[in-house]
Amino acid sequence: MTEQSSSEEERGDVMRAQALAREIFVNIANKWALLIINALGEDTRRFTELHAAVEGISHKMLTQTLRTLERDGVVSRLVHPTVPPRVDYTLTEAGLSLQTTVNAMCVWTRRHLDTIDEARHRFDAR
């Protein structure tokens, strides 16, 4: 392999990583994904438990978001061969790591809640 082709390959890897990072960020940086990650925490939950825990989410949106999170390796889905089928969801190791970031965002929000409220009131008053 020549030095030039190695450099082109590295540049391609960086571009692919950046594109993948943007795609994953879009998938997890929405309110439903963040609420599902928060609701799962370190627990295993059934679909109906998640539906009850994530206020306002529709059955369809919960299904779509869980599938996306599973595809991205954030959530693990285990189907038990029972009648009716029982499906459990848990955060993967990557999901647990992401949960740390989500929790930090919640802490930041609580810490700056008054500042955010004041800024919004000033903005809306204009």
Side-chain angles (χ1 to χ4, degrees):
M1 184 181 286
T2 67
E3 190 175 316
Q4 182 179 1
S5 64
S6 175
S7 176
E8 289 173 6
E9 187 175 310
E10 288 175 15
R11 198 170 28 250
D13 288 345
V14 168
M15 290 175 66
R16 181 179 176 281
Q18 289 174 342
L20 183 59
R22 280 192 297 273
E23 182 182 328
I24 291 170
F25 186 75
V26 166
N27 291 343
I28 61 170
N30 70 66
K31 76 175 183 178
W32 297 125
L34 293 174
L35 291 172
I36 290 167
I37 291 166
N38 189 53
L40 277 171
E42 295 183 18
D43 299 328
T44 297
R45 291 195 178 219
R46 296 179 71 180
F47 184 91
T48 53
E49 292 174 316
L50 278 173
H51 191 256
V54 181
E55 188 177 327
I57 193 168
S58 69
H59 187 278
K60 179 181 176 182
M61 186 55 66
L62 179 58
T63 299
Q64 288 176 346
T65 307
L66 284 168
R67 285 183 182 158
T68 300
L69 292 172
E70 182 183 8
R71 181 174 184 260
D72 288 341
V74 175
V75 169
S76 173
R77 179 178 184 261
L78 177 63
V79 180
H80 297 276
T82 60
V83 177
R86 182 177 136 208
V87 182
D88 291 331
Y89 295 92
T90 56
L91 291 178
T92 63
E93 187 176 327
L96 288 168
S97 174
L98 179 59
Q99 183 196 22
T100 302
T101 302
V102 171
N103 288 343
M105 290 171 59
C106 291
V107 168
W108 177 89
T109 302
R110 283 191 298 273
R111 184 178 304 138
H112 298 284
L113 190 58
D114 291 338
T115 303
I116 294 166
D117 279 340
E118 290 170 13
R120 286 181 172 186
H121 288 309
R122 280 193 311 273
F123 184 88
D124 293 344
R126 287 195 257 163

